Amino acid sequence: KEFKNVKEIIYNSAKEYSDNVAFIKKEQINKKAEYTNITYKDLLNQINYYGTKLYDMGLKNKRIAIVGRNRYEWILAHLTNLLGGIVSIPLDKDLQIDELENSLIRSKADAVVFDEKYIEKIQKIKNDNNTNIEEYISMSKLEGFLDMNSLLEQGKEIYEKGNKEFVETKINSYEMAILLFTSGATSKSKAVMLSQNNIASNIYAMKKVEGIYETDSNLAFLPFHHIFGSTALIMML
């Protein structure tokens, strides 16, 4: 099938493969690894709950940056942005503080979702107050910050009371949906604007030449902030 945008892709998969496992999430509980299966139905529900809360916070039609390692919360943040028409700004977690701050300023980000591992960088940027960031959202519980899981639970309550604004948002497949930065290996990094149709058409082309089956499992090596990493992620979905 050929799709126009990422929202069509995710909704189709949630319908076709509702109870299939989309992600296996690994967590360390008391030094023991525990695994949680997240189905396609779970994934879409979590996107809609979390997105409903983002809208409730006034982040509809805004720009949200993401800074972190490859992990489920990164994926949830990125997909929620895309399915809600929020511009997603994937940033390299290894950027120096000055470069990271500069990217947040240049991208005009309104909020940032971050991995707690990089709290020192985020805390300094927040304290310096040189950006337009209004909301700092941690991927895990972190004292003094909003966290994704709490927002997801709050969004679920709002959603179950009948608020379907996020779910019913129409996606413009051809407007800027992702704003990313080149590596800047030879000079200052350059901002690149991509639409959801850019991503969907790439996925269609990849599917035409690669045999991907619903029984396959995928282990991601490329960082998700790299556009090939996040596009391949969505192709697998």
Side-chain angles (χ1 to χ4, degrees), residues 105-122:
I105 293 170
R106 291 169 61 201
S107 64
K108 299 179 181 178
D110 300 287
V112 60
V113 176
F114 66 93
D115 189 319
E116 66 278 3
K117 184 178 179 180
Y118 308 100
I119 182 58
E120 289 185 11
K121 293 180 182 180
I122 297 298

Side-chain angles (χ1 to χ4, degrees), residues 59 61-67 81 86-91 100-113 122 125 129-136 176 179 181:
L59 290 169
N61 297 325
K62 300 285 188 173
R63 301 180 177 195
I64 301 181
I66 311 172
V67 181
N81 288 347
I86 296 167
V87 175
S88 198
I89 308 167
L91 296 177
L100 182 57
E101 182 181 65
N102 184 257
S103 296
L104 291 169
I105 293 170
R106 291 169 61 201
S107 64
K108 299 179 181 178
D110 300 287
V112 60
V113 176
I122 297 298
I125 290 171
N129 199 31
N130 294 322
T131 71
N132 292 320
I133 302 292
E134 298 171 3
E135 303 289 356
Y136 291 82
M176 181 176 71
L179 183 61
F181 291 89

Side-chain angles (χ1 to χ4, degrees), residues 12-216:
N12 179 75
S13 294
K15 179 182 177 181
E16 295 283 334
Y17 314 113
S18 178
D19 296 321
N20 286 24
V21 176
F23 294 99
I24 301 173
K25 183 179 177 182
K26 178 183 177 182
E27 293 180 288
Q28 294 289 343
I29 309 294
N30 297 324
K31 297 183 179 181
K32 181 182 178 183
E34 293 193 7
Y35 298 87
T36 303
N37 288 343
I38 298 168
T39 65
Y40 282 86
K41 180 169 61 179
D42 294 334
L43 172 64
L44 183 56
N45 282 338
Q46 290 181 21
I47 289 170
N48 287 335
Y49 298 155
Y50 177 55
T52 296
K53 182 58 183 176
L54 292 182
Y55 271 30
D56 182 63
M57 293 165 61
L59 290 169
K60 181 179 181 179
N61 297 325
K62 300 285 188 173
R63 301 180 177 195
I64 301 181
I66 311 172
V67 181
R69 299 163 289 173
N70 282 12
R71 54 188 286 187
Y72 177 69
E73 290 78 10
W74 197 106
I75 296 162
L76 181 60
H78 185 57
L79 292 179
T80 300
N81 288 347
L82 297 180
L83 267 65
I86 296 167
V87 175
S88 198
I89 308 167
L91 296 177
D92 186 344
K93 66 188 184 307
D94 295 320
L95 289 176
Q96 297 298 314
I97 291 179
D98 290 348
E99 290 180 90
L100 182 57
E101 182 181 65
N102 184 257
S103 296
L104 291 169
I105 293 170
R106 291 169 61 201
S107 64
K108 299 179 181 178
D110 300 287
V112 60
V113 176
F114 66 93
D115 189 319
E116 66 278 3
K117 184 178 179 180
Y118 308 100
I119 182 58
E120 289 185 11
K121 293 180 182 180
I122 297 298
Q123 188 68 66
K124 186 176 188 310
I125 290 171
K126 183 179 181 182
N127 292 343
D128 289 348
N129 199 31
N130 294 322
T131 71
N132 292 320
I133 302 292
E134 298 171 3
E135 303 289 356
Y136 291 82
I137 303 169
S138 174
M139 293 182 182
S140 298
K141 285 191 179 296
L142 196 62
E143 188 175 348
F145 289 92
L146 299 172
D147 70 90
M148 289 184 70
N149 192 58
S150 296
L151 296 182
L152 193 155
E153 291 300 320
Q154 293 168 29
K156 182 179 180 181
E157 290 183 19
I158 299 168
Y159 176 88
E160 290 179 345
K161 288 178 181 176
N163 186 325
K164 301 296 190 290
E165 184 181 8
F166 177 87
V167 175
E168 294 171 355
T169 291
K170 302 296 182 187
I171 299 300
N172 182 332
S173 303
Y174 302 96
E175 68 181 5
M176 181 176 71
I178 300 173
L179 183 61
L180 54 91
F181 291 89
T182 61
S183 61
T186 56
S187 62
K188 190 175 183 180
S189 63
K190 310 232 175 3
V192 180
M193 298 181 290
L194 295 174
S195 70
Q196 291 203 31
N197 188 255
N198 289 145
I199 305 303
S201 62
N202 272 357
I203 290 169
Y204 180 71
M206 291 161 72
K207 288 282 287 175
K208 292 281 280 185
V209 297
E210 290 292 339
I212 304 295
Y213 305 97
E214 65 175 278
T215 52
D216 290 345

